[in-house]
Amino acid sequence: MTYAVTHFGKIAWLTLAHAELVFVSLAAASLIAVPLGVWAARRPHAGVWILGTLGALYTIPSLALLALLVQAVGLGFSPIFAALVVYAQFMLARSVAVGIRGVDPAQRDAANGLGMSPMQRLVRVEFPLALPIVLSGVRVAAIAAIAIATLGGYVGGGGLGALIFNGLTLHQPAMIVSGSIAASVLAILTDGTLRFAERAVRT
Amino acid sequence: MSVSRRAALAYLAGAAALSACGTRKNIRVGSKNFTESFVIAEIYSQALERSGLPVDRRFNLGSTQIALAAMRRGDIDLYPEYTGTAAIDVLHLPPMHDPIQLYRTVAREFAQRYDLFWLTPSPMNDSQGLAVTSDFAKRERIETLSQLAPVASRFRLATIQEFVVRPDGIPGLQKLYGGFQFREVRTYDIALKYRALLEGKADVASAFTTDGAIAVDRLTVLRDDRKLWPPYNVAPVVRKQTLQTQPHVARILDRVSPAITDTVARQMNAAVESGQDPSDIAAAFLKGISA
Amino acid sequence: MSAADILFEDVRVRYPGSETFAVDGVTLPVEAGELVVLLGPSGCGKSTLLRTVNRLVTPQSGRVLVGDKDVASLDAVELRRSIGYAIQAVGLFAHMTVAENVAIVPTLLGWSRADIDARVDELLLLIDLAPQTFRNRRPRELSGGQAQRVGVARAIAGKPGVLLMDEPFGAVDAIVRQSLQRELVRIVRTLKTTTLFVTHDVSEALLLADRVVVMREGRVEQSASPDELLDAPATQYVRDLVRAGDDVYRRYYLHLRDELR
């Protein structure tokens, strides 16, 4: 695997770009998913519909969604970013909803009785207590995103996908293997880091 | 508790900053989904970067139609295109065999119809063809397309998807030469088709005349005696806005294009197939011409 | 905050989807500084009635007045910050330290950092948990009794005029419960807070209360001091409940009561 050695800088750079794509899209996705998850937790009936819709989005084949997004927003960073934001919704919103619903009712009652407003209760009590479950949802969403983000190679979105798909076109197995291994390493590191974080916030 | 809130704010701020990073004014260079397009696009990209212009590579876009659609939509700023492909696949013009006349015609039409501009072309001519092993040519005593046309029903063709449908692919052969009803037409990934030929799974393969394999595997390209295929000279095709906002692009690429000859093209293609990275190949090429 | 009085005016509460009223027309005054125990079996409406005071429950009809103000006319969140609240399951916030738990109402009220820290130390001493040791402990590191005590400290941290307690000592064993009861009486006497205390345990009611309100099926059976209850039960139900005829029982509890005082 001399390719990996001689091109280590390039592979590292692409891995960083890949990680950046995943990080940014998860951050943006949470801005939408967290409020949706809170809403689903507060209103179980609406929640069934919300999570059901997000689940349906999740089952759309990624390449098909990406092709549609390219028609809408063009090539490059935008379509793969948008696709990742869509796919992350289900996992994130669901873990927020489950986490908040699972909060100890006594602590919720105490929070209300002691004089917290609903927002204060959410921020100071419910969300922190839900954090281990939320983080496990983030972890699953991140691993999926690392995989789906490789499709960015199809649409000029950069990252390890470019390495893998260029390797396919140019018939250079070394590129394909390097890209795949780098993606796996990234996934393993992400998984480990987030597991550590989950344990750290457990009460 | 306040720690996790601070962490969350840092996370969001970082995300916002990083996403803002992606909106620089780079020149977006595209390529189609085969080796030669890759290498030439990489040459263009590195030539621009060496002159200090930032480049976003959007290679491997797909077929001619996809690349052109991306240009017209403004998703890429320039890409390498072939005069022959432009004339037949895009503009649907009648065949022309003078390279200079062909170039001038496609350049004029692209400018008028699409606001896309052709820069100085390269001498290399990556025409299409049908290739066979030397043994086959000797054994069947077939050297030209006219000779193959009537007896094609005995043979199997290995080709790529685009060739089956494009007007100057199988339809064009059938129209001009008659015959060419192959016993079997199988589509392969672009470089695997030669392997099919060499492994005896096919008798004839569609080819590009600058394919590295032709030199490496000593294949014979059948003569296009009735001249179905026009010249295919490659040149950068650039969007009008890009030429206006980045006028140096033309000057830089015009200096590079004349150095891409047939020989150079075949060497570069062969190098990719032997496992070299297109970035390295392009870099070596540029270093060679600036020396 | 000084102790306020409470007045229930013909309060009726019905939970959605239920035919019967959980609280069925209760009119009851509670004087400032009194420790009133709501006593009855589960389902008699005592917890529901308690929770109308801090508006965790809204009555269908009737009014609840705290310090002469109708609670319905006040901002619910602000109201709750002026009323102490302690429940059986305690509900200490698992992700916060003991100090942060106790400090929650003062924090919500915007006290200065210095005042909050002083109050936390004061309360930890009051409930007999050494501040140095217990400030930074987590709820999971506390025993049942310790957690209950922290729950009480948290309830009174904001210096409320009214204290609501819903079976706060129900989840601990008898020995711990006795010491908690003793401590509660001491605290409440010191702070002179108006206290509403819910329990199903008759002996606990007789021990702690200035006045016992016996409830059954959403209505008040009798509201009287423990002595009066034992001497002059208003109904057969009350008589049976407090074992009014049983002299031995009576003497035993009166004795315990004096000890507590």
Side-chain angles (χ1 to χ4, degrees):
Chain A
M1 280 299 301
T2 53
Y3 182 86
V5 173
T6 51
H7 291 80
F8 187 77
K10 178 173 168 186
I11 296 173
W13 177 253
L14 288 172
T15 308
L16 267 158
H18 200 91
E20 176 187 337
L21 173 63
V22 169
F23 181 84
V24 167
S25 56
L26 281 182
S30 1
L31 290 177
I32 304 171
V34 169
L36 281 179
V38 171
W39 191 15
R42 294 256 194 269
R43 276 163 233 268
H45 294 295
V48 171
W49 286 101
I50 295 170
L51 293 176
T53 308
L54 295 180
L57 283 177
Y58 191 66
T59 60
I60 299 177
S62 2
L63 208 47
L65 181 65
L66 195 58
L68 287 172
L69 286 169
V70 168
Q71 291 307 310
V73 301
L75 297 169
F77 177 83
S78 313
I80 188 68
F81 169 78
L84 291 174
V85 168
V86 168
Y87 283 116
Q89 290 306 308
F90 178 58
M91 253 317 128
L92 292 177
R94 196 171 79 134
S95 61
V96 168
V98 169
I100 290 182
R101 274 191 224 143
V103 164
D104 178 13
Q107 290 179 58
R108 217 200 302 270
D109 189 43
N112 282 329
L114 291 168
M116 290 192 200
S117 68
M119 182 57 84
Q120 286 170 327
R121 189 182 80 221
L122 178 68
V123 172
R124 294 179 196 228
V125 175
E126 290 175 307
F127 202 82
L129 289 173
L131 210 46
I133 292 187
V134 172
L135 283 179
S136 91
V138 170
R139 183 167 52 85
V140 173
I143 305 294
I146 290 172
I148 298 174
T150 55
L151 292 176
Y154 267 141
V155 296
L160 292 168
L163 193 58
I164 295 173
F165 287 111
N166 290 356
L168 279 167
T169 300
L170 297 170
H171 301 284
Q172 303 218 334
M175 286 172 80
I176 302 171
V177 172
S178 304
S180 308
I181 292 182
S184 301
V185 168
L186 184 61
I188 292 172
L189 287 175
T190 306
D191 187 64
T193 309
L194 285 172
R195 274 187 204 270
F196 179 76
E198 267 175 72
R199 244 176 286 133
V201 299
R202 203 149 283 171
T203 42
Chain B
M1 180 186 56
S2 55
V3 170
S4 55
R5 207 184 307 174
R6 250 178 264 141
L9 284 171
Y11 177 70
L12 288 172
L18 284 171
S19 52
C21 276
T23 55
R24 291 166 302 205
K25 277 289 157 207
N26 291 3
I27 300 175
R28 298 151 309 162
V29 177
S31 89
K32 300 195 231 184
N33 59 350
F34 55 93
T35 304
E36 188 174 88
S37 185
F38 241 94
V39 176
I40 294 177
E42 181 66 26
I43 288 175
Y44 294 165
S45 303
Q46 287 190 22
L48 293 170
E49 284 175 329
R50 275 160 161 247
S51 301
L53 298 173
V55 168
D56 248 348
R57 286 164 176 70
R58 298 192 175 178
F59 292 176
N60 214 354
L61 291 174
S63 66
T64 307
Q65 303 305 330
I66 295 179
L68 193 60
M71 281 290 280
R72 299 183 64 192
R73 231 182 10 234
D75 284 335
I76 55 174
D77 296 309
L78 73 100
Y79 81 114
E81 187 53 279
Y82 298 81
T83 51
T85 310
I88 297 182
D89 274 352
V90 180
L91 300 170
H92 307 294
L93 298 173
M96 237 174 280
H97 293 280
D98 179 84
I100 297 180
Q101 190 196 19
L102 178 58
Y103 170 80
R104 289 216 181 103
T105 310
V106 300
R108 184 186 66 231
E109 292 300 315
F110 264 55
Q112 274 175 9
R113 295 196 206 184
Y114 311 124
D115 258 349
L116 297 176
F117 293 84
W118 288 65
L119 302 181
T120 302
S122 299
M124 62 146 265
N125 177 9
D126 184 10
S127 193
Q128 295 189 82
L130 292 181
V132 298
T133 60
S134 320
D135 290 342
F136 177 95
K138 252 180 250 151
R139 191 175 66 236
E140 302 289 335
R141 280 195 276 264
I142 293 178
E143 282 175 10
T144 68
L145 292 179
S146 299
Q147 287 169 334
L148 178 59
V151 298
S153 49
R154 283 169 45 209
F155 301 119
R156 301 157 300 172
L157 175 69
T159 181
I160 59 170
Q161 180 54 34
E162 221 186 327
F163 192 76
V164 178
V165 294
R166 59 191 282 185
D168 58 349
I170 293 181
L173 279 169
Q174 290 169 340
K175 200 152 154 216
L176 183 61
Y177 286 90
F180 276 115
Q181 302 291 341
F182 283 99
R183 183 177 110 210
E184 178 190 275
V185 174
R186 267 258 181 106
T187 58
Y188 288 84
D189 194 72
I190 196 162
L192 292 179
K193 65 180 154 78
Y194 286 121
R195 211 194 293 172
L197 192 64
L198 296 170
E199 285 174 8
K201 295 205 181 98
D203 307 297
V204 185
S206 64
F208 294 100
T209 50
T210 51
D211 279 344
I214 293 172
V216 170
D217 299 322
R218 278 178 293 240
L219 300 176
T220 302
V221 177
L222 300 175
R223 195 156 46 88
D224 178 15
D225 47 310
R226 291 214 197 154
K227 298 220 176 300
L228 170 64
W229 289 303
Y232 286 74
N233 301 110
V234 77
V237 177
V238 192
R239 297 202 309 135
K240 183 194 224 168
Q241 289 94 306
T242 309
L243 285 177
Q244 287 169 338
T245 56
Q246 306 267 23
H248 298 299
V249 167
R251 184 176 49 82
I252 294 165
L253 297 180
D254 284 345
R255 246 186 307 151
V256 164
S257 291
I260 307 177
T261 61
D262 273 357
T263 315
V264 166
R266 271 189 219 119
Q267 273 171 2
M268 294 195 297
N269 289 330
V272 173
E273 278 154 39
S274 74
Q276 277 187 59
D277 194 317
S279 315
D280 299 333
I281 297 169
F285 167 82
L286 287 169
K287 202 186 291 180
I289 61 170
S290 65
Chain C
M1 193 158 309
S2 56
D5 55 359
I6 306 175
L7 178 62
F8 296 97
E9 261 184 22
D10 199 24
V11 174
R12 258 173 246 274
V13 178
R14 187 174 50 172
Y15 287 115
S18 167
E19 292 280 307
T20 51
F21 281 91
V23 174
D24 199 358
V26 169
T27 297
L28 179 70
V30 177
E31 265 165 65
E34 263 196 300
L35 200 171
V36 169
V37 173
L38 303 177
L39 172 68
S42 57
C44 71
K46 54 193 193 295
S47 295
T48 308
L49 188 67
L50 183 84
R51 289 153 67 89
T52 60
V53 177
N54 65 359
R55 280 182 66 180
L56 289 176
V57 165
T58 306
Q60 263 62 39
S61 65
R63 299 196 301 167
V64 179
L65 297 140
V66 172
D68 292 331
K69 294 211 195 83
D70 185 350
V71 297
S73 69
L74 301 171
D75 174 58
V77 168
E78 269 179 44
L79 172 71
R80 291 169 192 158
R81 290 178 193 169
S82 67
I83 295 178
Y85 185 60
I87 54 178
Q88 180 174 36
V90 191
L92 291 183
F93 303 129
H95 60 297
M96 297 188 198
T97 61
V98 165
E100 284 168 339
N101 265 282
V102 172
I104 197 80
V105 177
T107 308
L108 291 171
L109 289 171
W111 289 18
S112 74
R113 183 83 256 159
D115 286 342
I116 294 177
D117 287 341
R119 181 69 175 152
V120 168
D121 285 341
E122 182 192 337
L123 288 168
L124 288 175
L125 285 169
L126 188 66
I127 59 171
D128 221 2
L129 294 175
Q132 298 293 60
T133 321
F134 284 93
R135 263 191 154 265
N136 291 321
R137 289 256 173 104
R138 299 256 160 193
R140 65 168 179 271
E141 298 171 307
L142 302 174
S143 71
Q146 288 169 337
Q148 293 282 7
R149 285 168 21 217
V150 173
V152 174
R154 183 173 69 171
I156 61 177
K159 303 196 183 161
V162 171
L163 180 58
L164 304 178
M165 309 188 89
D166 195 342
E167 313 215 40
F169 307 144
V172 296
D173 64 61
I175 295 175
V176 173
R177 192 181 316 151
Q178 261 189 42
S179 79
L180 288 175
Q181 287 165 343
R182 191 161 305 166
E183 238 167 80
L184 178 69
V185 170
R186 180 170 54 82
I187 292 168
V188 165
R189 294 262 170 276
T190 320
L191 301 178
K192 304 195 207 318
T193 323
T194 310
T195 306
L196 262 186
F197 188 107
V198 164
T199 183
H200 64 273
D201 183 330
V202 179
S203 37
E204 185 168 54
L206 296 177
L207 264 173
L208 298 179
D210 293 329
R211 195 148 54 88
V212 176
V213 176
V214 179
M215 287 185 70
R216 184 161 84 115
E217 286 166 11
R219 289 194 209 91
V220 174
E221 287 276 312
Q222 183 174 9
S223 166
S225 72
D227 284 340
E228 225 184 290
L229 234 55
L230 290 166
D231 283 336
T235 66
Q236 183 66 34
Y237 178 80
V238 176
R239 180 192 306 273
D240 290 337
L241 187 69
V242 304
R243 308 233 282 243
D246 188 333
D247 259 358
V248 174
Y249 182 84
R250 182 211 177 97
R251 253 179 287 151
Y252 173 63
Y253 273 98
L254 288 180
H255 169 72
L256 273 181
R257 215 187 136 88
D258 292 332
E259 257 200 356
L260 203 60
R261 305 297 163 113

